[in-house]
Amino acid sequence: MDSGVFDAGPAPAPSPGGALVLPVRCRTRRSMTGGRVHEVTITPDWDVVVPHDLRSERIAAALGGYLSCLTLCDMTVPAARIGLARHLRVSGPQVAIDPFNQSWIPVSPADGCCRDRMFPSAGAAAGHARSVRHLSAEFGAPRWQLNDVMKAILAAHGNDGLAPVTAPPGWDAAQDAVSEPDTLQNLFDAGVNPQWIAAVHRELGLVGPLPSLFYLAAQVYGADLPWIARTLSSAGVKPAGERVDTWSPARRPSKFEPLDAIRLTKLGIAYEPVVTWLASTHSPVDSHQPLLRAEWLSLGIPRRLMPDLWDARYQPSDLVELREAIGGTITAAALILMGWIQKGWRPQTADLAALANGDPGRLDAPGTASVKDLRRAVGAPNRVDDVTLALWLCAHAPVQRAAAAWESGDPWLTNAPTPLSGNQDKY
């Protein structure tokens, strides 16, 4: 199942009965208001039948003429088709996250409308994507004409353009799949289909409801649901699924306030339940090594530390090796590596383990200024990387003692006389 697109079968017809007959205003000048009213038919496959010889009218338009029914066929009805799919929540994701400013945007920003606009919430961005204003700019359709057509199509589907007259299909099943009361409407506002929510919950095979943030993250990022299910199972993780029974209007946040505040960023989402984090952080590495994330989760370190450790190309086995060397916790080992990563260094854990000798205090990454001082003091050539000097400084601090040890040819560690094992400088 593609988590980003709800498969509702064939595209919805312009009316539940198939074809839709509606009156339209026909204009022969762009500057006209009103216009002669006649009926047109939109067929179930969205062809348009008009009382004109369109071939002749296109020739006339090429010579400078104008007929609004040409734009009806070429721009307005295609825009209305997408608009209906968005209103019925069968078009796939309606919102995205701008990678530059982490703000909500419609999935198809339009020039002259919202190309540079930031929206305060997912619901606001999706609502804009469904609006006549946005669809008109996206497809180049006259707003007055698209407004008439959309009103007729939505009315035929029992929708006033803001909300369905009756509960959408799958509403009850979706309510059972979402852990927070009253947030299903927020998901619906953000363009998420209730039937899709229920289908995703069934596919994951988890007992109990899931956070509403998970469903929005899964749709925005196109989450790999089978991979999420396998990762949770392999790591022995059981997402929190108990419904909150003490909810009250006074405690209810604004629509997706927690989600909008963090913009589903990698660091922020790490504080959300595991299933939401997995939905929003899948990467090509996970596709090539589908069980690697489960290994990381099994370690039990804070998820906020994992992205930097991945980017520095450490493996779970590296943390286990370092933990055994320091005789501490796996989180302590992770924090030691984070100290080096934050300086831009990636030492080999085998060297850190040898250096520790049971004392994790020896593994605090030295300051970059001290490493520069040591380099100047010993005249180390450029081929000696900063990581090697930093490790030497950890073993022989302070700088004066480290320089003396370097000049005397002492090994970098008394119990490790062999050269360093290929540390990497600024990665």
Side-chain angles (χ1 to χ4, degrees):
M1 176 180 181
D2 183 343
S3 66
V5 179
F6 173 67
D7 183 7
S15 78
L20 177 66
V21 179
L22 68 155
V24 299
R25 291 177 284 172
C26 186
R27 298 179 179 179
T28 56
R29 296 192 310 275
R30 295 181 189 276
S31 60
M32 281 183 66
T33 58
R36 183 172 65 90
V37 177
H38 63 69
E39 289 187 341
V40 302
T41 300
I42 305 177
T43 68
D45 57 0
W46 293 87
D47 288 331
V48 186
V49 180
V50 297
H52 301 287
D53 181 350
L54 291 182
R55 184 175 181 180
S56 298
E57 294 294 348
R58 292 187 189 281
I59 294 174
L63 297 175
Y66 176 78
L67 183 70
S68 61
C69 281
L70 287 177
T71 62
L72 176 75
C73 298
D74 297 343
M75 301 174 184
T76 302
V77 169
R81 179 179 183 176
I82 297 300
L84 176 61
R86 290 177 183 172
H87 275 279
L88 297 180
R89 277 60 170 180
V90 295
S91 63
Q94 297 186 17
V95 295
I97 296 178
D98 188 310
F100 298 104
N101 56 36
Q102 294 297 314
S103 64
W104 289 108
I105 57 174
V107 72
S108 300
D111 291 333
C113 176
C114 56
R115 178 67 65 184
D116 300 315
R117 182 177 173 186
M118 295 181 290
F119 291 83
S121 68
H128 177 78
R130 295 188 292 270
S131 70
V132 168
R133 175 186 176 185
H134 177 80
L135 290 164
S136 172
E138 184 179 351
F139 288 86
R143 193 182 301 183
W144 65 269
Q145 189 177 63
L146 181 58
N147 187 61
D148 291 348
V149 174
M150 284 300 301
K151 280 185 177 179
I153 291 174
L154 292 175
H157 282 270
N159 190 303
D160 63 4
L162 297 176
V165 176
T166 58
W171 191 266
D172 290 341
Q175 283 186 318
D176 292 336
V178 179
S179 58
E180 310 95 326
D182 303 325
T183 57
L184 183 55
Q185 181 63 53
N186 297 343
L187 284 169
F188 191 75
D189 291 343
V192 183
N193 190 296
Q195 290 177 286
W196 177 84
I197 291 172
V200 166
H201 189 264
R202 286 194 303 271
E203 179 162 340
L204 287 177
L206 299 173
V207 177
L210 297 173
S212 57
L213 296 182
F214 159 71
Y215 295 106
L216 185 55
Q219 186 158 98
V220 168
Y221 287 102
D224 185 334
L225 298 177
W227 171 77
I228 290 175
R230 288 194 304 269
T231 300
L232 293 173
S233 176
S234 299
V237 175
K238 296 181 179 180
E242 295 184 1
R243 188 176 295 280
V244 180
D245 295 324
T246 57
W247 198 267
S248 68
R251 293 180 57 243
R252 181 179 178 181
S254 60
K255 292 181 179 180
F256 287 122
E257 181 181 356
L259 182 64
D260 292 338
I262 60 177
R263 307 296 185 199
L264 281 175
T265 56
K266 185 184 292 185
L267 180 59
I269 206 66
Y271 295 98
E272 296 303 320
V274 175
V275 67
T276 309
W277 178 70
L278 291 173
S280 60
T281 58
H282 185 271
S283 71
V285 173
D286 295 307
S287 298
H288 295 303
Q289 297 177 277
L291 296 179
L292 182 60
R293 190 77 71 98
E295 293 181 35
W296 279 101
L297 285 171
S298 298
L299 291 177
I301 66 172
R303 294 194 301 279
R304 61 184 173 82
L305 302 180
M306 292 183 189
D308 287 331
L309 292 168
W310 302 335
D311 291 344
R313 300 182 298 279
Y314 284 111
Q315 298 292 318
S317 57
D318 294 323
L319 274 74
V320 173
E321 177 184 22
L322 187 56
R323 178 194 62 188
E324 293 174 351
I326 65 175
T329 65
I330 197 74
T331 298
L335 290 173
I336 288 172
L337 291 178
M338 286 296 296
W340 288 80
I341 290 171
Q342 288 166 359
K343 299 287 177 62
W345 299 326
R346 182 193 177 276
Q348 296 290 321
T349 51
D351 291 328
L352 289 174
L355 177 63
N357 196 24
D359 179 10
R362 302 185 70 190
L363 303 185
D364 292 337
T368 54
S370 297
V371 172
K372 290 180 180 178
D373 290 342
L374 178 60
R375 180 179 292 279
R376 285 194 295 267
V378 301
N382 290 336
R383 62 182 174 81
V384 178
D385 59 41
D386 282 354
V387 179
T388 298
L389 294 172
L391 288 166
W392 189 278
L393 191 55
C394 286
H396 301 286
V399 172
Q400 294 84 353
R401 179 169 175 263
W406 185 283
E407 296 290 350
S408 67
D410 287 349
W412 75 285
L413 261 178
T414 55
N415 61 345
T418 57
L420 297 179
S421 53
N423 293 289
Q424 298 185 24
D425 202 352
K426 300 274 184 178
Y427 50 83

